[in-house]
Amino acid sequence: MITSGYQAKARRGCFIAVVGPSGAGKDTLMHRASDQAGFALARRVITKPPAATGEAFESVSKHEFIRRRQARCFALHWTAHGFDYAISAEIETDLAAGQHVLANLSRAVLPRLQEVFSPAGIILVTAPPEILAQRLTQRNRESRAQIESRLARASFQVDPSLSPVVVENSGDLGDAVTAFIAACHAVIGTRRIK
């Protein structure tokens, strides 16, 4: 038997930032893409109670969040809606192994994305204001004032120079999932390191 000492190096995975207004359906699309296409999901660390959202996240105290941030346990961190959010530095293990990772991020943190992750891309999930309002009301997690505040921020734009791929999520969920998975593959194809 003839063998060579050469082993192909795994290509680095792509970090895909999924952004968009509250109620656009980001988490739903991400979970479906994970189930159907095998994408990994970045679990966020957040300073709010675990029952506060339908999202699976690690709930920590403000004190613990600060301790981890100072210990450089986070790859990215930001503040939004009165809470602190982070992506653990442990995500590097999946990326180094060639796994493509989806992460629900704040649009405000996108300018730092390329500094932290390479390759990285952005998918912007959108829906019309009336659908956002309906979904936010149906999930029954915020007060009317909080919903109004989230809707006011829905028009926050992503810098076009960041080349986000846009996915409309206002109709059939199956169609939106198909479009989202196609968008993920498009991001991976244009951002892959050779």
Side-chain angles (χ1 to χ4, degrees), residues 131-142:
I131 291 178
L132 297 176
Q134 179 185 23
R135 289 176 180 164
L136 290 172
T137 302
Q138 287 175 342
R139 71 186 192 182
N140 201 27
R141 294 195 304 240
E142 296 100 358

Side-chain angles (χ1 to χ4, degrees), residues 5-17:
Y6 174 78
Q7 289 185 340
K9 184 178 178 185
R11 287 189 185 200
R12 184 171 171 79
C14 186
F15 184 91
I16 303 171

Side-chain angles (χ1 to χ4, degrees), residues 23 126-135 151 168-171:
T126 65
E130 61 276 8
I131 291 178
L132 297 176
Q134 179 185 23
R135 289 176 180 164
L151 290 173
E168 172 80 23
N169 183 20
S170 59

Side-chain angles (χ1 to χ4, degrees), residues 8-41:
K9 184 178 178 185
R11 287 189 185 200
R12 184 171 171 79
C14 186
F15 184 91
I16 303 171
V18 181
V19 299
S22 297
K26 300 179 295 292
D27 288 323
T28 298
L29 294 178
M30 289 169 57
H31 281 91
R32 295 288 178 100
S34 176
D35 292 344
Q36 294 179 24
F39 295 105
L41 299 176

Side-chain angles (χ1 to χ4, degrees), residues 112-135:
R112 294 179 24 221
L113 187 64
Q114 299 296 335
E115 299 169 17
V116 178
F117 298 108
S118 181
I122 302 165
I123 297 177
L124 171 61
V125 179
T126 65
E130 61 276 8
I131 291 178
L132 297 176
Q134 179 185 23
R135 289 176 180 164

Side-chain angles (χ1 to χ4, degrees), residues 28-79:
T28 298
L29 294 178
M30 289 169 57
H31 281 91
R32 295 288 178 100
S34 176
D35 292 344
Q36 294 179 24
F39 295 105
L41 299 176
R43 189 168 186 221
R44 300 191 296 180
V45 177
I46 311 176
T47 58
K48 62 180 163 182
T53 72
E55 171 193 359
F57 65 92
E58 182 182 357
S59 173
V60 298
S61 68
K62 179 80 170 180
H63 175 76
E64 176 62 11
F65 191 94
I66 292 169
R67 186 195 70 74
R68 290 190 195 182
R69 187 184 69 216
Q70 290 173 340
R72 300 187 184 276
C73 295
F74 301 142
L76 266 179
H77 58 85
W78 66 96
T79 300

